[in-house]
Amino acid sequence: MSSADAWREELWKEIGQMQASDLPQMALKVFRYQYTHNLIYRQWVDLLGRKPQNVNQLEDIPFLPISLFKTKRIVSGDWREQQIFSSSGTTGQQRSQHFVRQLALYEEQSVRCFEAQYGPLSDYRILALLPSYLEREGSSLIYMIEHFLKQAKAGSGFYLYNIDTLKEQMQQAKAAGEKVLLWGVSFALLDFAEAGGFPLGPQDIVLETGGMKGRRKEMLREELHGILGQAFGIEQIHSEYGMTELLSQAYSLGQGIFQPPTQMGIYIREHSDPLHIYKEPQHNGAINIVDLANLDSCAFIATDDLGRKYADASFEVLGRLDQSDLRGCNLLVEL
């Protein structure tokens, strides 16, 4: 085993055992590893004039613009990927690519994120209504759900546009006293709601992910959740926050407030100064994410999302930056 691989293995071991309070110190360890072994990230840090020896707290760590995942192979170390996850996009659009070294680690991390919020996957009949994701290749969400379905109750599965079959499964689960987890992209859940929905019980969950994907007009979260709540007879609509460039997911149990998992931290940067991170909570700004599960790519991502962080480390997504593909520092052109 090379010294780089030994360093990586030690970091993975520590990440697997860490508590939420360990995130700042673990982030500094991962920063030093990725500065050493990630060429693109090192170039970005150097262009910003940051010296690793002067990075002594998490707020000092430079965050890589997420747009670079569209044009660069963002990897830490020298290895061949098992999988390439790609983002959705319209024809002619550049898509982000996330090179995954070990799928087993992604599977382990995604299960950990889910079960920390919801308990064992085996407690649920998972019904996935994700047509826009199923209709393309390379979706990290579809890979994750496929892995979840192997551990969920019988009858779990994907339902492309089969609303009648989906209702039958929900009825069977209800008759058996099983928990239903209806996991869907927003526009498909809205289609289901307009087709009459289905009365769920208090133990059941409707979890929305993604947006309208060009199929419908975008709407405010409150409006969408109000329609879905009425159609399915439940008070709270849950949400999942994830993206191609991340290997961790955050979940909202209602009201659009997300709880990050142990290995993930949210930080808000100032609009006018992308290198300034607010230390105090409850500022609105652009979202930076630390995702230590991204040990083999880049754990420090400056996203195009707008949000707010609260004192308990939870966060809310408020929208997207305008002209997000053009934002950021002019140093990008040199990479």
Side-chain angles (χ1 to χ4, degrees):
M1 181 183 292
S2 68
S3 59
D5 287 341
W7 190 358
R8 171 184 178 269
E9 290 299 316
E10 181 59 31
L11 286 172
W12 267 123
K13 182 179 178 180
E14 291 186 52
I15 291 168
Q17 298 173 348
M18 65 180 279
Q19 304 295 318
S21 59
D22 299 326
L23 182 67
Q25 287 305 310
M26 278 305 308
L28 288 171
K29 292 182 180 182
V30 171
F31 164 74
R32 293 185 172 88
Y33 171 78
Q34 293 191 331
Y35 180 82
T36 304
H37 293 290
N38 186 321
L39 174 62
I40 300 300
Y41 184 58
R42 181 167 68 251
Q43 289 177 337
W44 174 246
V45 174
D46 290 346
L47 285 168
L48 293 178
R50 293 286 177 92
K51 301 295 183 183
Q53 60 268 30
N54 296 329
V55 175
N56 298 311
Q57 59 182 349
L58 191 148
E59 289 80 5
D60 297 333
I61 296 175
F63 286 76
L64 189 74
I66 198 168
S67 57
L68 287 180
F69 279 82
K70 294 181 178 180
T71 59
K72 305 294 183 181
R73 188 175 188 269
I74 310 295
V75 296
S76 295
D78 183 15
W79 41 265
R80 179 176 295 180
E81 66 276 1
Q82 285 191 349
Q83 180 89 5
I84 302 175
F85 291 138
S86 60
S87 64
S88 58
T90 58
T91 304
Q93 227 180 19
Q94 282 185 302
R95 300 186 179 193
S96 293
Q97 291 191 312
H98 194 155
F99 297 83
V100 180
R101 181 171 180 172
Q102 289 180 285
L103 284 167
L105 292 173
Y106 175 56
E107 294 166 2
E108 177 185 332
Q109 293 295 324
S110 60
V111 170
R112 180 181 299 174
C113 292
F114 178 89
E115 293 191 338
Q117 289 287 345
Y118 293 106
L121 283 158
S122 57
D123 287 349
Y124 296 92
R125 186 180 296 212
I126 299 176
L127 308 174
L129 191 58
L130 301 163
S132 59
Y133 292 93
L134 283 169
E135 292 165 345
R136 66 176 181 84
E137 295 182 354
S139 167
S140 57
L141 177 63
I142 293 300
Y143 186 92
M144 181 181 77
I145 299 293
E146 286 178 337
H147 181 63
F148 286 5
L149 293 176
K150 297 173 185 176
Q151 303 172 61
K153 289 185 178 297
S156 298
F158 289 104
Y159 296 87
L160 193 57
Y161 294 103
N162 306 320
I163 298 299
D164 290 339
T165 305
L166 185 55
K167 287 183 177 181
E168 290 175 7
Q169 285 293 333
M170 295 170 85
Q171 185 62 55
Q172 289 177 19
K174 187 174 183 179
E178 297 175 355
K179 294 181 183 178
V180 167
L181 172 53
L182 176 61
W183 197 322
V185 65
S186 300
F187 78 84
L189 289 174
L190 204 52
D191 288 345
F192 190 0
E194 291 178 353
F198 186 91
L200 294 172
Q203 66 176 355
D204 300 323
I205 296 168
V206 175
L207 192 155
E208 58 93 5
T209 185
M212 298 302 178
K213 306 297 182 185
R215 309 289 184 96
R216 283 175 167 266
K217 181 181 178 180
E218 294 289 341
M219 62 174 60
L220 294 175
R221 172 183 56 80
E222 292 83 357
E223 181 183 4
L224 172 64
H225 286 197
I227 294 171
L228 297 180
Q230 186 173 9
F232 297 106
I234 53 180
E235 293 186 5
Q236 297 290 350
I237 301 298
H238 296 213
S239 303
E240 181 253 354
Y241 182 75
M243 57 187 71
T244 299
E245 299 85 357
L246 303 176
L247 293 185
S248 295
Q249 304 79 36
Y251 294 93
S252 165
L253 306 188
Q255 305 299 320
I257 305 299
F258 293 89
Q259 296 289 342
T262 302
Q263 72 274 11
M264 184 180 183
I266 302 297
Y267 300 88
I268 303 299
R269 69 181 186 273
E270 187 178 333
H271 291 93
S272 59
D273 181 1
L275 300 183
H276 176 71
I277 295 176
Y278 293 113
K279 290 188 177 182
E280 304 81 13
Q282 299 192 16
H283 284 281
N284 292 354
I287 295 177
N288 284 358
I289 298 179
V290 176
D291 183 7
L292 300 184
N294 275 21
L295 183 62
D296 294 315
S297 54
C298 182
F300 312 101
I301 307 297
T303 79
D304 294 332
D305 291 332
L306 291 170
R308 174 184 292 183
K309 181 180 178 180
Y310 296 99
D312 64 354
S314 65
F315 67 100
E316 185 176 5
V317 180
L318 302 175
R320 298 277 290 174
L321 287 170
D322 292 333
Q323 297 180 319
S324 60
D325 285 340
L326 301 177
R327 65 181 249 291
C329 181
N330 289 333
L331 290 171
L332 278 173
V333 299
E334 300 185 36
L335 281 181

